[in-house]
Amino acid sequence: MTTAPTHAKGLEGVIAGETEICNVEQTSLIYRGYEIADLAANASFEEVAYLLLVGNKPTADELASFKAELVAERSLPGAVVEFLKTSGDLVNNQYAVPMDILRTAVSILSHLDADCQDNAADANLRKSKRLLAQIPTVIGHMQNSIEGKEFIAPNANLSHSANLLYMMTGSEPTPEAEKVMDVSLVLYAEHDYNASTFTARVISGTLGDLHGAVTGAIAALKGKLHGGANEAAMDMLADIRKDIGPDNDLGKVTDWMHKAFAEKRKLMGFGHRVYKNGDHRAPILHGLGRKAAEARGEEFVKLFELGEMVQKIMEDEKKIYPNVDFPCGMTYFTMGIPVPQYTPIFVASRITGWAAHIMEQHANNRLIRPRVAYIGPAPRNWND
Ligand code: SDX
């Protein structure tokens, strides 16, 4: 089917395919027909993961066996454990950041997965479940290594979200912390043709394998214009706090923002290619995070109040709204999660969306190969 070529920088507004998985609109965000607010309020992350990977809401029996499969696949092959033992030095000596470590770990996992070269639907589903189960263990072991601690083994009695937190800290999270993490993973799971998912589709569109497509997607998500914004948003708030001191003085915050505007700085955690009137996910996570801050204490409430000042100035003066990464930064900080693990946790959730898109691409493939407008030198001869 040929249609008139579309030339849009960054493919802005271009419809680049079809999907049954998700739809991102100004007015709604749905995963396979379910509204995000409905899922955030009523579904666990395991249920949403099943919905994205398999295509429908799991029955009680389907959910129970899915959970058991994930628990059984949480441990890592020896070669990955050995690599993760070196990860603390790589990060602490600034040769790598956690997103790089996670990307390499997924690559090593591909060498140890018997299904790696098999793009068949059943093999892809097996690999998707394995990566979904293994990525939290990679994050946990990596964090243990960064802190010079022994690796904390996965806890089979804990939910996916609780186990993720447990492996990073060694203590079982409160039910409240588990709930906040679980909702954040639901909100992060899928978002149609965002840059990292599109990367995964381009790679799987060549018939590249699932691990390779996920590796590329991790590299794309790391960028602070995309998933890296949750870390960058918290770093930005820390910079503001450092500059204005411990009190949230509106005049000082306004001066800071106006200086940033004058320098044409992109404020991390704000704006979106599709959402121009606000990100449906942001208020959900902001509300949960603020409650966690109120329970945690004054310092964390003041962080959220600072964030709310920044948000009001952006909305009033620029008509630019927070995306999900802005409340995520404040929420994960309140939960005591190390900032450099925020985007790896985004991966622990988005692996579900990426895998769903990779399986959809393999199942009904057409090579993704757009055209480009040439603006280089006019034709010329080498021997002129
Ligand atoms: C995610 O695509 C997805 O769905 C991604 C995601 C997902 O779930 O997968 O939602 C997750 O990546 C969210 C986005 C996280 N990134 C950030 O928070 C980084 C900061 N945001 C910006 O870089 C920007 O808003 C983008 C990249 C997110 C979107 O940018 P666009 O669509 O390319 O818009 P633009 O850069 O052309 O901006 C339009 C105008 C510009 O002003 P002018 O130059 O025309 O005068 O708005 C301004 C921009 O300067 N603007 C900002 C701004 N975002 C846009 N100004 C200051 N701070 C910002 N954050």
Side-chain angles (χ1 to χ4, degrees):
M1 173 186 82
T2 54
T3 51
T6 310
H7 175 190
K9 201 160 181 204
L11 298 182
E12 181 149 16
V14 171
I15 304 285
E18 293 177 337
T19 184
E20 298 178 14
I21 303 166
C22 174
N23 190 28
V24 174
E25 296 290 352
Q26 298 292 355
T27 50
S28 73
L29 166 56
I30 56 172
Y31 298 173
R32 297 200 189 272
Y34 294 96
E35 261 291 340
I36 193 64
D38 183 8
L39 293 171
N42 302 306
S44 68
F45 174 64
E46 286 98 332
E47 289 173 306
V48 168
Y50 186 96
L51 170 71
L52 291 170
L53 293 177
V54 180
N56 52 274
K57 176 180 174 182
T59 63
D61 289 348
E62 288 166 337
L63 180 61
S65 53
F66 181 65
K67 282 180 172 179
E69 280 183 87
L70 295 182
V71 169
E73 295 277 14
R74 284 176 175 171
S75 55
L76 297 173
V80 180
V81 173
E82 286 311 304
F83 164 66
L84 291 172
K85 284 178 183 166
T86 70
S87 63
D89 285 343
L90 291 171
V91 171
N92 293 334
N93 297 328
Q94 278 140 28
Y95 292 116
V97 295
M99 279 294 275
D100 305 331
I101 300 295
L102 180 52
R103 189 194 68 227
T104 303
V106 167
S107 286
I108 302 172
L109 283 168
S110 72
H111 313 328
L112 304 160
D113 190 312
D115 288 321
C116 179
Q117 311 303 335
D118 188 348
N119 291 345
D122 59 338
N124 273 346
L125 184 56
R126 284 195 298 272
K127 290 187 280 187
S128 304
K129 291 176 188 174
R130 277 198 279 273
L131 280 177
L132 173 58
Q134 292 165 333
I135 285 169
T137 311
V138 170
I139 295 169
H141 286 4
M142 182 206 314
Q143 188 55 36
N144 302 156
S145 180
I146 290 167
E147 295 174 10
K149 292 179 180 164
E150 289 301 306
F151 286 177
I152 296 163
N155 182 331
N157 302 317
L158 296 178
S159 71
H160 198 81
S161 298
N163 181 58
L164 167 61
L165 290 168
Y166 167 75
M167 285 192 294
M168 281 198 282
T169 62
S171 41
E172 293 190 17
T174 62
E176 295 73 23
E178 176 183 7
K179 181 67 181 164
V180 174
M181 177 50 68
D182 205 65
V183 174
S184 77
L185 298 184
V186 167
L187 296 173
Y188 263 145
E190 161 58 13
H191 218 235
D192 86 27
Y193 267 29
N194 60 86
S196 55
T197 299
F198 192 67
T199 301
R201 292 212 69 141
V202 169
I203 294 170
S204 42
T206 70
L207 300 185
D209 65 84
L210 184 136
H211 282 83
V214 169
T215 302
I218 293 173
L221 191 76
K222 172 187 174 183
K224 65 181 183 178
L225 291 190
H226 188 14
N230 58 14
E231 296 178 20
M234 191 53 227
D235 291 341
M236 178 185 76
L237 287 171
D239 284 350
I240 297 174
R241 173 63 72 220
K242 198 159 86 274
D243 290 355
I244 69 167
D247 299 324
N248 291 337
D249 177 297
L250 183 59
K252 288 182 181 174
V253 175
T254 306
D255 291 346
W256 195 97
M257 297 287 286
H258 286 172
K259 186 165 174 292
F261 292 161
E263 293 161 358
K264 288 223 170 286
R265 276 181 60 176
K266 285 280 196 305
L267 297 181
M268 294 294 115
F270 285 90
H272 197 275
R273 174 59 59 82
V274 178
Y275 296 137
K276 297 305 179 191
N277 304 314
D279 182 331
H280 308 290
R281 304 164 294 180
I284 298 171
L285 192 50
H286 190 107
L288 279 172
R290 207 185 202 290
K291 275 209 190 75
E294 283 153 13
R296 183 92 198 264
E298 177 63 15
E299 178 203 343
F300 301 95
V301 171
K302 284 173 74 173
L303 171 66
F304 268 81
E305 285 169 350
L306 174 59
E308 286 152 11
M309 280 183 181
V310 168
Q311 188 173 320
K312 189 166 182 330
I313 294 166
M314 280 298 275
E315 290 172 1
D316 292 351
E317 298 189 22
K318 291 276 181 181
K319 293 273 169 294
I320 296 175
Y321 300 87
N323 55 62
V324 64
D325 291 323
F326 190 62
C328 175
M330 296 186 283
T331 301
Y332 285 0
F333 185 80
T334 298
M335 295 172 75
I337 297 169
V339 174
Q341 296 295 1
Y342 294 2
T343 318
I345 291 171
F346 195 153
V347 173
S349 169
R350 187 58 59 91
I351 179 65
T352 55
W354 291 337
H357 280 274
I358 292 162
M359 289 191 277
E360 187 176 65
Q361 187 73 33
H362 278 159
N364 178 18
N365 188 42
R366 180 152 180 74
L367 179 75
I368 297 172
R369 199 280 186 214
R371 297 296 311 280
V372 67
Y374 175 75
I375 55 169
R380 50 186 172 167
N381 296 318
W382 189 255
N383 292 323
D384 277 0

